[in-house]
Amino acid sequence: MSRSEQAPSYRGASAHYLSPSRRDPVKVGSEEPVTRRVIAGALAALHLRPGSPVAVLDVGSGTADGFALLTRPAPDAAPIVAEDRLRYVGLDVDPEMVATARETVGSPSASFVLGDVRDALPDGAFDLYLSCGVPYSHLTRDELVAALGSVLTAVAARGRRAAVVVDVLGRYSVEWQPRWGTERWDYAMSFFAGGGGAISEPMTFYGRAELDATVDAALAGSGVRLVSRTAVDRSVLVGRHTATGTFHPAVPRFRTLVNDLVRDPSRVDPDDLRFSPATGGAPEEVLSWLRGFAGRWNAALEPYRGAGPLADADADRLAATLLGLERAAGPGLGLGHSLTMTLVAEPA
């Protein structure tokens, strides 16, 4: 039996991933721009010829968010890759996700494969080994070492430079501050929209030191050398579990409040958005950065202190400022909902 046949079922989860409500103002205004920036930067580092084909393997592709991020234009930008240049292969362990992706993505540029990155990779040479939606956190650290080792060995066999995007859950997100001391724990995806039931399974959480050590172990014997290694934190205060409070009931409902600033400002008291950062429980570089972010975030709120619900124009300005702070992203320390590392590698 393959690992994909043994994997936990996400039956019913497609309703969440396809729900229009999932693309809320926070996702559209901060999370997607950060991920697009990561993908565009990874491809730029390959120095491909203008107009040349681009081959992408999307690990843990789900319902094909990666394909949309590559090919859908943003309000202020063209698609990252034109569909007629793209060969996209989505790899996922869940049959329902693969079936849903095949049904909803009709492009001849895309295909979807049922499988597990811990098993044999799909055939073909790829320029970008993409991941988004933290698929690698489903693996233990040892499994991630093996999976990344397999990807990097494929890069070496390919014979030219490629980029690998490693997306995992950040260990020091405010969403689960009481669990900062634990690396792997049972993660309940209770934020599902569109009728999908909550799913719970063990997930692995990473700070920068842990992810660096994992990548270093995967590099050993892979036959590649790293040209560059960069990382960003996405969703510092607006991860989906700040809306649920599932793992940190005392956390302000930052995501809900920012979304409501855009959609229904009469429901928001700006004082409820104030952020008091942790004073312990994480490496000092994490705590220090969060203190600085709190200063910038709270300074944006200061003109509205005690104002109560805002007029639409003021709410729009405040939402734009807060989403801009989130779009700037964190320094890649594991202090947001997700920690995304980009490896640019070439044969040694």
Side-chain angles (χ1 to χ4, degrees), residues 249-295:
V251 71
R253 301 300 190 257
F254 291 117
R255 190 185 191 101
T256 300
L257 290 164
V258 173
N259 280 331
D260 282 346
L261 278 175
V262 177
R263 299 186 294 204
D264 187 1
S266 67
R267 301 177 62 179
V268 182
D269 183 340
D271 291 346
D272 292 340
L273 275 157
R274 293 190 65 80
F275 172 42
S276 299
T279 58
E284 176 54 32
E285 60 182 345
V286 169
L287 299 175
S288 176
W289 193 90
L290 288 173
R291 287 194 297 270
F293 189 78

Side-chain angles (χ1 to χ4, degrees), residues 9-17 94 96 192-197 199:
S9 174
Y10 276 61
R11 186 173 303 280
S14 292
H16 163 71
Y17 290 105
D94 187 78
E96 181 174 339
F192 277 1
I199 292 171

Side-chain angles (χ1 to χ4, degrees), residues 1-8 93 115-120 143:
M1 180 181 291
S2 71
R3 285 192 178 97
S4 61
E5 293 173 309
Q6 302 173 48
V93 300
D116 193 303
V117 70
R118 293 167 293 182
D119 298 324
E143 288 172 332

Side-chain angles (χ1 to χ4, degrees), residues 53-274:
V54 178
V56 176
L57 175 64
D58 188 359
V59 175
S61 53
T63 54
D65 274 7
F67 182 79
L69 287 163
L70 283 158
T71 61
R72 182 174 57 211
D76 58 349
I80 298 171
V81 181
E83 282 191 37
D84 60 2
R85 292 177 52 207
L86 180 63
R87 179 172 70 86
Y88 170 96
V89 178
L91 176 70
D92 203 279
V93 300
D94 187 78
E96 181 174 339
M97 292 292 190
V98 172
T100 301
R102 287 171 176 165
E103 291 170 4
T104 56
V105 179
S107 172
S109 300
S111 61
F112 298 91
V113 177
L114 179 66
D116 193 303
V117 70
R118 293 167 293 182
D119 298 324
L121 296 173
D123 292 337
F126 297 97
D127 301 293
L128 173 63
Y129 293 83
L130 178 62
S131 66
C132 48
V134 299
Y136 284 120
S137 271
H138 291 273
L139 312 184
T140 66
R141 279 183 67 179
D142 286 346
E143 288 172 332
L144 180 52
V145 169
L148 284 180
S150 176
V151 169
L152 293 169
T153 299
V155 174
R158 176 178 183 269
R160 73 169 191 260
R161 183 178 294 190
V164 181
V165 175
V166 184
D167 198 41
V168 294
L169 288 161
R171 182 164 179 172
Y172 303 110
S173 171
V174 299
E175 299 163 277
W176 34 78
Q177 184 179 326
R179 303 188 184 213
W180 282 1
T182 307
E183 180 177 292
R184 186 169 173 85
W185 44 270
D186 202 31
Y187 178 74
M189 285 162 270
S190 56
F191 49 74
F192 277 1
I199 292 171
S200 182
E201 67 172 292
M203 301 281 271
T204 309
F205 297 73
Y206 290 85
R208 179 61 184 264
E210 294 87 11
L211 189 53
D212 274 337
T214 301
V215 168
D216 289 344
L219 283 166
S222 67
V224 303
R225 71 174 192 91
L226 282 191
V227 176
S228 64
R229 177 190 329 212
T230 56
V232 298
D233 300 295
R234 185 180 62 233
S235 298
V236 175
L237 293 188
V238 293
R240 290 191 181 272
H241 277 299
T242 64
T244 69
T246 300
F247 305 114
H248 187 192
V251 71
R253 301 300 190 257
F254 291 117
R255 190 185 191 101
T256 300
L257 290 164
V258 173
N259 280 331
D260 282 346
L261 278 175
V262 177
R263 299 186 294 204
D264 187 1
S266 67
R267 301 177 62 179
V268 182
D269 183 340
D271 291 346
D272 292 340
L273 275 157
R274 293 190 65 80

